[in-house]
Amino acid sequence: VTGEAEGRPLAPVVGMIGAGQLARMTCQAAIGLGIGFRVLAGSARDSAAQVCAGVRVGDYTSLPDLLAFAAECDVVTFDHEHVPGPHLAALERAVPVRPGAAALRHTQDKLAMRERLATLGVPCPRYTPVSDLAAVTAFAARSGWPVVLKAVSGGYDGRGVWICGTPDEAAEVLGHGVAVIAEEHIDFDRELAVLAARSPHGQGAVYPVVQTVQRDGICHEVLAPALWLSAGRAREAQQLALGLAAELEVTGLLAVELFETPRGLLVNELAMRPHNSGHWTIEGAVTSQFEQHLRAVLDLPLGAPGAVAPQVVMANVFGGPDPGVYGRYLHVMAADPGVKVHLYGKQVRPGRKIGHVTVAGDPALGDQLRERAGRAARYLATGKD
Amino acid sequence: VTGEAEGRPLAPVVGMIGAGQLARMTCQAAIGLGIGFRVLAGSARDSAAQVCAGVRVGDYTSLPDLLAFAAECDVVTFDHEHVPGPHLAALERAVPVRPGAAALRHTQDKLAMRERLATLGVPCPRYTPVSDLAAVTAFAARSGWPVVLKAVSGGYDGRGVWICGTPDEAAEVLGHGVAVIAEEHIDFDRELAVLAARSPHGQGAVYPVVQTVQRDGICHEVLAPALWLSAGRAREAQQLALGLAAELEVTGLLAVELFETPRGLLVNELAMRPHNSGHWTIEGAVTSQFEQHLRAVLDLPLGAPGAVAPQVVMANVFGGPDPGVYGRYLHVMAADPGVKVHLYGKQVRPGRKIGHVTVAGDPALGDQLRERAGRAARYLATGKD
């Protein structure tokens, strides 16, 4: 607890396991709320460890490290989903863990997630566990090629999803010996995401539905709200997220990635933490996703999730060949005094996500928000207009 | 510098002398910009020292402490105006200091400030330096009682301004042996404030003019923009602030506190740092005053200062008898999910400013912003509705 008066704790300490950019931005929100905030970081150079006053360096796969960290915290939450399940169960005996192990399992085990969603009647792509090429080709005989192979957990070479156009490509993935499921490849109209929060009390709050624009499986752009989304479709997505958060007993944030298809909405992925698709809320919503996550894991009443501008656009910034991103502030800020830059303090490597930019405004008044955000993100990455 | 690649600095380090709530909120802004940020704190329990990853504990009246701190920073700025003038001059030989000693003098020496403003033809209350009661009564013979006595710098008992209704009251102040000036007591219509930023390049940016509501000389409420302020009067105040920032060669923020009177605007006080009258900009403006101050002292292009909502209200939160402010979050957040709470991590003492709340909305749509902000601030302070 931070500070005591007459033996009474004044404000609780939230501990976040993992110290990437999500923890970094959660740290900013914790400062405003006046609560304690600590991170368990793999290294003192991690994105959040650079800026957080309460850093423990440790290994999230080591139970002693986790327990030592938990002893400094009133509640523990996560910047990623990689803490081993058995460790989560042990942690839960030491400290409130939010979200809990039972909920988190659905982000750690894609087969368990699909099976649970199927049980709940939530529309998903067709899927099946596969252990050999015969099973993949049998699945493809029904759903067609390409087939999407997804690691049940983890993956290799930093990836966990492979779109396989041929049996040879599938065989190559299977050759790595990682447990996978096969999913039908969805020819979607676009990708949407919806972010809900749920507190231990059971209060729920849901953000406007956003559109995510991916390239090569990586989110480049988020449009909040999604463009030309019907009120009925938006409500359907929001109710799906709120319902799932309740069914899975999520405490904290639940991000639901969706495909919009001619046969309706299909759930692609789940995450139970602040999410890239919610970074727009820092400037664009009454309550940022980072503050909302803290309020939820502390079992405080949730904040208003509504947008504060007609349209908000977020663009991710990726590393380019030149690491001197700060040197490009001069141009970006002079060119557009309204763009909000967020850098994560990460070492620049080509293709690595190192920050994001946000712009908010009213397209009905002619504001070219996508152009503005895209230009700033591109220039920060490459130094080219 | 934070991080190097091939010997090149990646982002500069801003050092702030003082670690109160202004440094705390500047720290939040620095995290977003991905720059380094350090504070020189009197104690590790100071508001900003609790949350900042780069804390040096030291004494801002000790030149060795200041120089040791400056050696860790690329540019030095301030959370308060109390660094002794000769130390500032020495600091300036070691590191860029923004604002510089010559500008800061106008916030450290009220006589110098009044004389400079008079030279510039800026309208101010009538004033005169006074060294004895005869001088005060002679001044009062022209301007009437009460007379305002202001310490030229510092003061006593935590105060630097005294409104004296009688010669006896003036004699009591003079008896403390502090150098003072006498100012006429202004029967103002209301108090306004305007915040400008200026970079070393000379770029200026100015925020909308706000109205400040004081009780017993302490700001309780800020209305942004000021209610029913004519466009001409607003422009006059903004031009005054921009002009003063240029004339005084301010680098960073300049806050100008104004009296609105039947004879026009009069300058009451100046500050060259983030200011309580600008806290509304965190949620209410495209660029918060804290980010703006960082951009200015780093000589980056300034951010857009425009408001993002038709009306924003900030109310300060003062300590009450019960230190358990966090315990009152439950009620405040449940009662109003749209209120933004900022607590400073300060020990609660009756009457001490420990945080603020902000609400934004549109009064034309019936949003009772002052009632909402006032209620949340009052409840956080007292636990009473």
Side-chain angles (χ1 to χ4, degrees):
Chain A
V1 297
T2 62
E4 305 223 354
E6 298 151 27
R8 216 167 5 163
L10 288 181
V13 177
V14 174
M16 191 168 258
I17 295 173
Q21 65 263 28
L22 302 177
R24 182 180 173 108
M25 290 183 273
T26 308
C27 178
Q28 289 176 288
I31 293 172
L33 290 174
I35 60 167
F37 185 71
R38 301 184 61 76
V39 294
L40 180 66
S43 138
R45 293 303 306 154
D46 285 359
S47 177
Q50 292 169 34
V51 301
C52 182
V55 178
R56 173 178 282 268
V57 173
D59 179 354
Y60 62 80
T61 67
S62 152
L63 186 55
D65 284 7
L66 291 169
L67 290 172
F69 180 66
E72 301 165 339
C73 306
D74 295 302
V75 54
V76 163
T77 187
F78 307 91
D79 152 291
H80 58 67
E81 41 276 303
H82 306 316
V83 177
H87 290 0
L88 289 174
L91 259 187
E92 280 185 324
R93 289 189 288 273
V95 69
V97 175
R98 294 171 180 163
L104 272 174
R105 180 154 180 266
H106 302 98
T107 68
Q108 298 188 313
D109 180 326
K110 287 192 201 300
L111 181 56
M113 183 267 280
R114 284 290 178 228
E115 287 173 346
R116 183 68 183 274
L117 294 187
T119 305
L120 294 171
V122 172
C124 290
R126 278 169 289 196
Y127 75 95
T128 190
V130 289
S131 53
D132 58 24
L133 190 58
V136 176
T137 52
F139 180 77
R142 297 195 307 278
S143 71
W145 293 93
V147 164
V148 179
L149 296 184
K150 288 186 176 175
V152 170
S153 65
Y156 62 85
D157 293 350
R159 294 173 61 194
V161 177
W162 302 269
I163 298 171
C164 301
T166 63
D168 280 357
E169 288 175 28
E172 204 278 325
V173 172
L174 294 168
H176 285 268
V178 171
V180 295
I181 59 173
E183 290 189 2
E184 66 174 325
H185 184 260
I186 301 294
D187 190 19
F188 54 79
D189 298 326
R190 58 174 170 174
E191 293 182 78
L192 304 174
V194 58
L195 191 62
R198 185 177 170 277
S199 69
H201 256 79
Q203 190 196 1
V206 64
Y207 285 90
V209 180
V210 303
Q211 180 171 342
T212 64
V213 181
Q214 329 264 337
R215 284 179 224 147
D216 302 325
I218 294 163
C219 176
H220 274 247
E221 198 184 12
V222 172
L223 314 175
L227 306 179
W228 304 106
L229 187 68
S230 73
R233 181 53 60 85
R235 204 160 42 237
E236 179 191 344
Q238 290 181 312
Q239 284 173 348
L240 191 156
L242 282 172
L244 265 183
E247 288 286 357
L248 303 181
E249 298 187 65
V250 176
T251 46
L253 291 174
L254 171 68
V256 183
E257 296 180 40
L258 297 161
F259 295 129
E260 190 175 33
T261 78
R263 65 185 215 246
L265 296 175
L266 303 176
V267 171
N268 179 25
E269 298 284 353
L270 303 181
M272 295 178 190
R273 50 170 170 73
H275 193 253
N276 196 188
S277 69
H279 291 356
W280 69 276
T281 59
I282 297 175
E283 293 88 5
V286 176
T287 309
S288 82
Q289 67 165 343
F290 302 101
E291 178 180 337
Q292 195 76 297
H293 188 69
L294 289 169
R295 288 165 76 146
V297 303
L298 287 166
D299 208 7
L300 289 169
L302 300 178
V308 299
Q311 186 76 51
V312 186
V313 176
M314 187 230 54
N316 283 321
V317 178
F318 298 93
D322 177 353
V325 180
Y326 177 80
R328 298 196 280 272
Y329 270 16
L330 194 65
H331 175 89
V332 168
M333 291 177 174
D336 190 342
V339 72
K340 305 314 301 170
V341 177
H342 298 258
L343 287 191
Y344 305 152
K346 291 168 110 171
Q347 211 158 12
V348 174
R349 286 200 301 263
R352 186 187 205 193
K353 201 192 299 174
I354 56 166
H356 74 268
V357 299
T358 306
V359 292
D362 190 348
L365 302 176
D367 205 345
Q368 302 293 313
L369 299 170
R370 294 183 74 174
E371 289 73 6
R372 288 172 58 198
R375 185 178 185 228
R378 200 164 53 243
Y379 193 90
L380 282 169
T382 65
K384 287 186 190 137
D385 240 328
Chain B
V1 296
T2 61
E4 304 224 354
E6 299 151 26
R8 217 167 4 164
L10 288 181
V13 176
V14 174
M16 191 169 257
I17 294 173
Q21 66 263 27
L22 302 177
R24 182 179 173 108
M25 291 183 272
T26 308
C27 178
Q28 289 176 288
I31 294 172
L33 290 175
I35 59 167
F37 185 72
R38 302 184 62 76
V39 294
L40 180 66
S43 140
R45 295 302 307 154
D46 285 359
S47 177
Q50 293 169 33
V51 302
C52 182
V55 178
R56 172 179 282 267
V57 173
D59 179 354
Y60 62 79
T61 67
S62 150
L63 185 57
D65 284 8
L66 291 169
L67 290 172
F69 180 67
E72 301 165 340
C73 306
D74 295 303
V75 55
V76 163
T77 187
F78 306 91
D79 152 291
H80 59 66
E81 40 276 304
H82 306 316
V83 176
H87 290 1
L88 289 173
L91 260 186
E92 281 186 322
R93 289 189 288 271
V95 70
V97 176
R98 292 169 182 165
L104 272 174
R105 182 155 179 268
H106 303 97
T107 69
Q108 298 188 311
D109 181 326
K110 287 193 202 298
L111 182 56
M113 184 266 279
R114 285 291 178 227
E115 287 175 345
R116 183 66 183 277
L117 294 187
T119 305
L120 294 171
V122 172
C124 290
R126 277 169 291 195
Y127 74 95
T128 191
V130 287
S131 51
D132 56 24
L133 189 58
V136 176
T137 52
F139 181 77
R142 297 194 308 275
S143 70
W145 293 95
V147 165
V148 180
L149 295 185
K150 288 186 175 175
V152 170
S153 63
Y156 62 85
D157 294 347
R159 295 173 61 194
V161 178
W162 303 269
I163 299 174
C164 302
T166 64
D168 280 357
E169 288 175 27
E172 204 278 326
V173 173
L174 293 168
H176 286 268
V178 170
V180 296
I181 58 173
E183 290 189 2
E184 65 173 325
H185 183 260
I186 300 294
D187 190 21
F188 53 78
D189 298 326
R190 59 175 170 173
E191 293 183 77
L192 303 174
V194 57
L195 191 62
R198 184 175 170 277
S199 69
H201 256 79
Q203 190 195 1
V206 64
Y207 285 90
V209 180
V210 303
Q211 180 170 343
T212 63
V213 180
Q214 330 263 338
R215 283 178 226 147
D216 301 326
I218 294 163
C219 176
H220 275 247
E221 197 185 12
V222 172
L223 314 175
L227 305 179
W228 304 107
L229 188 68
S230 74
R233 180 55 60 86
R235 203 162 42 238
E236 180 191 344
Q238 289 181 312
Q239 285 174 347
L240 190 157
L242 282 172
L244 264 184
E247 288 287 357
L248 304 181
E249 297 188 65
V250 176
T251 46
L253 291 174
L254 171 69
V256 183
E257 296 179 41
L258 297 161
F259 295 129
E260 190 175 32
T261 78
R263 64 185 216 244
L265 296 175
L266 303 177
V267 171
N268 179 24
E269 298 284 354
L270 302 182
M272 295 178 190
R273 50 169 170 73
H275 193 255
N276 195 190
S277 69
H279 291 356
W280 69 275
T281 59
I282 297 174
E283 293 88 5
V286 176
T287 308
S288 83
Q289 67 165 344
F290 302 100
E291 178 179 336
Q292 195 76 296
H293 188 69
L294 290 169
R295 288 165 76 147
V297 303
L298 287 166
D299 208 7
L300 289 169
L302 300 178
V308 299
Q311 187 75 51
V312 186
V313 176
M314 187 230 54
N316 283 321
V317 177
F318 297 93
D322 177 354
V325 180
Y326 177 80
R328 298 196 279 273
Y329 269 16
L330 194 64
H331 176 89
V332 168
M333 292 177 173
D336 190 342
V339 71
K340 305 314 301 169
V341 177
H342 299 258
L343 286 192
Y344 305 153
K346 290 167 113 171
Q347 210 157 10
V348 174
R349 285 200 301 264
R352 186 187 204 192
K353 202 192 298 173
I354 57 167
H356 74 268
V357 299
T358 307
V359 292
D362 190 348
L365 303 175
D367 205 345
Q368 302 293 313
L369 299 171
R370 293 183 75 174
E371 287 74 4
R372 289 172 58 198
R375 185 178 185 229
R378 200 164 53 242
Y379 194 90
L380 282 168
T382 65
K384 287 184 192 139
D385 239 330

